[in-house]
Amino acid sequence: MIKFLDLQKINAQYEEELKQAAVQVIESGWYLLGERVEHFERNLSNYTGSSNSIAVANGLDALRLILRGYIELEVMTIGDEVIVPANTYIASVMAISDNGLKPVFIEPDLDSYNINIKKIEENITSRTKAIMVVHLYGRVCWSKEISQIAKKYNLKIIEDNAQAIGADWNGIKTGNLGDAAGFSFYPGKNLGALGDSGAVTTNDDKLSEIIRALGNYGSKKKYINEYKGLNSRMDEIQAAFLDVKLKYLDKENQTRREFAKFYVSNIKNKKILLPEIPTNELEHVWHLFVIRTENREKLQEYLLINGIQTLIHYPIPPHKQLAYREWGNLNCPITEQIHNEVLSLPISPTMTDGEAKKVVEILNQFK
């Protein structure tokens, strides 16, 4: 069986370094808010180019805390609107609604799967306070036009960078393009912890200070609580693991790019629509390699019978989830088409050439 993603194999590459990191944390006797978290935060800032990094418990919290921070700064207030792509993972939307803000769903571009930038301005109202750009599947979602729109209407740009760490737009890494960015280090991400973790990056010192306090019970100093905060902290052992793996991220992302190019060059089945490779290959880190087909269930079953595991990212768009039943009548035909047709193929830094060739061979025989 060719696994969709073999996490054991990915982490086994760095087994000795990970074990050594774990031992050092265990022997230190310090497990939260210590030197390892501080060290990882510095390394993440150096990697992304941002002046501030705040380690948190997970990717959802990263986005929640950014928006909550802006509310505390009175940049936003309950009921304000945040523009968000309609075809994103539900966490992007949950971060908005959890803060009493209103998501404004925008259809994606069918070629890139990222938000259709041309449709943003027509959906801005007097209550719009931010644009959440999602670098979906690992591809940068950015343009000068987004920056111009944000400047024109005095909007914040928040990056959902859960899937695209290491992607690059004109020499600037994701996580340092907008006003603030949320990262996920869920184990299956390109930079994955051995548990759950996340981070926020920003060049806004005041926002950074508030987010750091909010994630620590609203406290800057122990037992003194300035805000009604959360408990959202990365532990020392996950920070140590992430530090080990961060060193190899660019190499692993490049391996993903090579497999993506191989797929695009060799999958010839006309029933399968392949993703677009950007002119600048650094704009995509291929967290997921997502194809589309009108016969998804048939294709997925066929691949499984032939020893190839696939996943669907994602079967139901946020506005069709029961959690957001109030948006159920929203007209988003492009989003719904994407969610009905997408299928994610195996792609990872530990995939072998032989496995990739088998995936191509089996796909090309699909009828």
Side-chain angles (χ1 to χ4, degrees), residues 267-272 293-303 305-306 359-367:
I267 296 172
K268 303 296 184 183
N269 194 319
K270 295 187 184 300
K271 292 187 175 183
I272 295 168
T293 179
E294 293 180 357
N295 303 298
R296 181 174 66 194
E297 283 68 30
K298 181 180 177 183
L299 176 58
Q300 188 173 36
E301 183 180 1
Y302 163 81
L303 289 170
I305 290 170
N306 283 277
V359 171
V360 168
E361 178 185 343
I362 298 299
L363 277 171
N364 284 338
Q365 292 172 3
F366 176 67
K367 296 178 182 180

Side-chain angles (χ1 to χ4, degrees), residues 19-52:
K19 286 180 177 178
Q20 184 178 12
V23 168
Q24 289 172 352
V25 172
I26 292 166
E27 291 182 348
S28 76
W30 197 289
Y31 308 122
L32 280 173
L33 301 179
E35 292 180 357
R36 298 311 296 255
V37 167
E38 291 177 3
H39 192 264
F40 174 68
E41 288 175 337
R42 286 196 300 271
N43 286 339
L44 184 62
S45 284
N46 290 337
Y47 182 79
T48 60
S50 60
S51 57
N52 299 286

Side-chain angles (χ1 to χ4, degrees), residues 101-248:
L101 303 169
K102 179 183 175 182
V104 176
F105 296 100
I106 307 295
E107 286 269 67
D109 176 89
L110 198 52
D111 293 325
S112 70
Y113 303 122
N114 282 329
I115 195 169
N116 188 333
I117 296 167
K118 295 178 181 178
K119 293 187 176 294
I120 291 176
E121 191 165 12
E122 65 190 59
N123 285 278
I124 292 172
T125 73
S126 60
R127 295 306 302 267
T128 307
K129 292 297 187 294
I131 303 167
M132 184 178 289
V133 296
V134 180
H135 307 301
L136 196 66
Y137 305 150
R139 181 170 182 172
V140 174
C141 176
W142 199 257
S143 74
K144 290 181 180 178
E145 188 179 353
I146 289 179
S147 299
Q148 290 166 351
I149 291 170
K151 185 176 181 180
K152 180 179 177 180
Y153 293 97
N154 192 29
L155 306 178
K156 297 297 183 183
I157 302 180
I158 299 164
E159 298 174 70
D160 182 338
N161 197 31
Q163 299 185 0
I165 184 169
D168 182 289
W169 188 84
N170 288 351
I172 304 172
K173 280 192 163 57
T174 51
N176 197 30
L177 290 164
D179 294 287
F183 292 70
S184 169
F185 304 122
Y186 178 79
K189 299 295 194 247
N190 288 31
L191 179 63
L194 276 71
D196 218 344
S197 294
V200 173
T201 56
T202 182
N203 292 313
D204 184 332
D205 293 343
K206 189 171 288 187
L207 178 65
S208 173
E209 182 181 2
I210 288 177
I211 288 173
R212 190 175 294 281
L214 284 169
N216 186 36
Y217 296 96
S219 172
K220 296 176 186 176
K221 184 176 181 181
K222 196 168 185 178
Y223 302 131
I224 299 175
N225 304 81
E226 297 181 39
Y227 312 101
K228 297 173 183 176
L230 309 173
N231 175 13
S232 183
R233 304 176 295 196
M234 181 186 294
D235 63 64
E236 289 283 285
I237 204 160
Q238 296 304 333
F241 290 155
L242 288 167
D243 250 343
V244 169
K245 298 180 71 176
L246 181 60
K247 297 181 295 184
Y248 303 102

